[in-house]
Amino acid sequence: MNCFRQRCRAAAPVVLGAAGILLFSTTICTAELQRRYTDPEYGYSISAPRGWSRKTDMARPYVAFLGPEDNGSLPNFHIFTEPAVNKTLAEYVRVSRESIAKNRSMRLQSQQRTALCGAPAAVLQSIVTADGRPPMIVRQVVTVHEGRGYVVTLTAPPAGLKRYLPLFGKALASFQWRRTTIRKAS
């Protein structure tokens, strides 16, 4: 049974193609963060794992959380959202797969269906091999909610994936929909 299916209330997380992957970062917020992040503009909230910090210089609509350094790698997860008016989950997943396929440094390893708090979603897992960098695993959870596509992405070194998947699962389980401040297109 999917761990995030059991624990969250009314939510569905997020994931998108290669353009949305945060592989390496040099700027880390050093201030202690609140455990729960709420984004009233894009209508969700999520809790980051203890000891992870929010990366504050990300362009909107991205929100990223960085884990402690792991043998030269920086595990992280981030959330991306964009308009997806009149798109089904299948169409949104197809776009994500096409984006991965176009990226020469990414290879899709698996895709499976899931549900996040009752909302249909997909999990895409890829491996990223960038020149001069150790490989990274990218696990994305993709959904469509109220005319927006949401992608929640975990990026972690292969050796640490088993250690980070439970943390990612807990973050996904904490994901909740909130009232948004964005006006809906008519």
Side-chain angles (χ1 to χ4, degrees), residues 90-157:
E91 291 168 326
Y92 200 65
V93 169
R94 181 183 48 78
V95 169
S96 294
R97 288 178 59 100
E98 288 171 357
S99 180
I100 291 168
K102 288 177 186 175
N103 187 324
R104 296 185 335 166
S105 64
M106 285 186 83
R107 184 172 40 89
L108 184 65
Q109 293 181 313
S110 65
Q111 176 182 335
Q112 58 191 100
R113 292 179 184 199
T114 190
L116 297 171
C117 306
V123 177
L124 303 175
Q125 184 165 306
S126 303
I127 187 161
V128 177
T129 52
D131 291 339
R133 304 272 187 175
M136 298 291 275
I137 299 294
V138 175
R139 178 169 280 200
Q140 300 178 310
V141 179
V142 181
T143 197
V144 176
H145 177 74
E146 294 186 356
R148 293 194 70 79
Y150 291 83
V151 181
V152 179
T153 302
L154 168 70
T155 305

